[in-house]
Amino acid sequence: MLEKFFRLKENKTTVKTEIIAGLTTFMTMAYIIALNPNLLTGFGAEGKELWNGVFLATCIASAVGMFVMAFVANKPFAMAPGMGLNSFFAVVVANIVSLTGMSYLASFQSALCIILVEGIIFVILSVLNIREKIVDAIPLGVRLGIAPAIGMMLMNIGIGSNAGIYSETGGPFYAMRDFFGSLTAGLAKTTMGSGYASMVLTVATMFIGLFIIVVLAQKGVKAAVILGMLVSSIIYWIGEWLFLNTNPFASLKGANFLPPFQDMAETTLFHFNFSGFAQIGWFTVVTLIVTFCIIDMFDTIGTLVGTASRAGMLDKSGKMPKMKEALLADAVGTVVGSATGTSTVTTFVESASGVEAGGRTGLTALTTGVVFLACMFIAPIAAIIPAAATSSALIYVGVLMLTGLKNVHFDDMAETVPVALMLISMPVSGSIGHAIGIGLIAYTVIKVFTGKAKDVSLLTYVLSAIFLLKFFLVA
């Protein structure tokens, strides 16, 4: 049945490979299950009930988005509330509180109306093929640079910001900035205080895991990524026990494995505050909806194009079959997210880890989605996966995605400059969409002022103008 539905042989894969790929993707993005409710509720400051509601919404909306990706698009991409978009949502909620005087919960429920409208707009645009036309409007040269730029972003996340260390001297401290960026080991130790030992363990685990993945991959082991993560997790747990005198499984004692459905029903489930939504002001509302739409649209497009490129899913013209259906998945996920209680659902860049593990069909997405649903019951177990282990996978996949640079025509400045700008702007800004916007603007300007304005499509001009407005004029 699985063979017939997902066309595994046609895509040169197997059930075992797809399941391993799905588990690999999950392990690299499991952090979102706890981090998303943390960000949207001030790390629990707005009440345990709201935190629980957002936690369940994260699991449910992500799973629904992945099920649509699996059964409608048959693609291996994973969905979840987007990083950056969730932080922006939290800022919007805080601004609504100060603007209207409503409680945080009432403001949160008002902001969910914005996500609902955004999701509905995306469903309509996806069904009408407008989002697919926007994908096609991105010049091939810019598209070729998306995958390597995502690779740089993954490496930056893996070694730069994925594993944060806290101590009595502050934090978070990160491997690249505070360990490798320190002038001497002594200075790093002084800066991090008691956190220095944790940092050393994190860095050692990160690179041991990376080298294990590389060696296994070179030997042709398809499960190299997930095996590397498992080994590095074990190394980290042993290190915690022996050198940090910490029980890595202490959080499992007394952990609650029952999903808090009652809390979600009381705080977020279909709790749209339309009266509060009307108090925000129509100009502000329209501006917020447009901002969410732009960021989400190009984050999703960039992830789909970049990851599909790495997986060899693009045709000769750089287009991905069933792009319309894949784009519909994040739209449906966003609508479900608004109804259950979370911010915009988008395609996760960590999907690249599952693709690298061999995932080629919707069975990969289905596997990840099923595990997300299971996390409503086993969240405490998912939470003990060390960040150092996921960093190993992110760095490895990032390196592999850099190989896409071989397809860039570096003798053409109209292609080289946009790609170079995306390579630096994507990891620095942390936004795939913004980096694509910078690339489009650069491409358009170079073409126009070198006498090749006719090479630029009308829609590319429109997209470049929209990004210029967003960067410089939209308040």
Side-chain angles (χ1 to χ4, degrees), residues 117 124 160 206 208 254 263 300 333 339 438 454 470:
V117 174
I124 295 172
M206 185 186 302
I208 290 173
D263 290 340
T300 295
I438 292 172
K454 292 183 179 180
K470 188 202 176 300

Side-chain angles (χ1 to χ4, degrees), residues 223-393:
V225 177
I226 194 169
L227 287 175
M229 291 175 65
L230 287 173
V231 172
S232 55
S233 294
I234 293 171
I235 291 173
Y236 190 87
W237 293 329
I238 293 174
E240 279 189 305
W241 187 280
L242 293 178
F243 304 112
L244 304 182
N245 298 316
T246 301
N247 180 0
F249 309 112
S251 61
L252 297 179
K253 294 180 180 178
N256 185 6
F257 291 89
L258 295 177
F261 288 119
Q262 183 65 32
D263 290 340
M264 183 174 72
E266 294 176 353
T267 57
T268 62
L269 185 62
F270 293 107
H271 281 282
F272 295 113
N273 185 1
F274 290 107
S275 61
F277 177 66
Q279 294 181 43
I280 300 173
W282 291 111
F283 179 79
T284 301
V285 165
V286 171
T287 300
L288 290 173
I289 291 174
V290 170
T291 301
F292 271 110
C293 284
I294 291 175
I295 297 174
D296 182 24
M297 181 178 296
F298 284 91
D299 276 6
T300 295
I301 288 172
T303 303
L304 287 174
V305 173
T307 309
S309 174
R310 173 63 196 172
M313 295 179 182
L314 302 183
D315 58 25
K316 293 181 180 179
S317 61
K319 298 180 181 180
M320 185 183 79
K322 287 200 171 185
M323 175 63 80
K324 171 184 174 180
E325 290 82 354
L327 291 170
L328 183 63
D330 83 300
V332 172
T334 295
V335 172
V336 174
S338 69
T340 52
T342 186
S343 54
T344 306
V345 171
T346 186
T347 306
F348 247 53
V349 69
E350 283 82 357
S351 301
S353 62
V355 168
E356 197 52 47
R360 291 297 182 272
T361 74
L363 184 54
T364 294
L366 175 62
T367 301
T368 309
V370 168
V371 181
F372 258 78
L373 280 184
C375 277
M376 293 192 296
F377 300 89
I378 62 171
I381 296 177
I384 66 173
I385 301 173
T390 61
S391 287
S392 301

Side-chain angles (χ1 to χ4, degrees), residues 26-96:
F26 168 77
M27 290 182 70
T28 58
M29 62 184 288
Y31 65 86
I32 195 65
I33 295 171
L35 182 57
N36 191 55
N38 280 345
L39 291 174
L40 297 190
T41 66
F43 287 80
E46 302 303 329
K48 180 181 179 182
E49 293 77 13
L50 180 58
W51 194 99
N52 287 338
V54 178
F55 159 73
L56 288 180
T58 301
C59 295
I60 294 170
S62 301
V64 170
M66 284 184 269
F67 293 159
V68 175
M69 183 68 75
F71 294 115
V72 179
N74 193 24
K75 300 298 180 185
F77 308 119
M79 324 288 294
M83 288 299 296
L85 286 164
N86 50 14
S87 298
F88 181 53
F89 180 88
V91 171
V92 168
V93 174
N95 288 338
I96 293 175

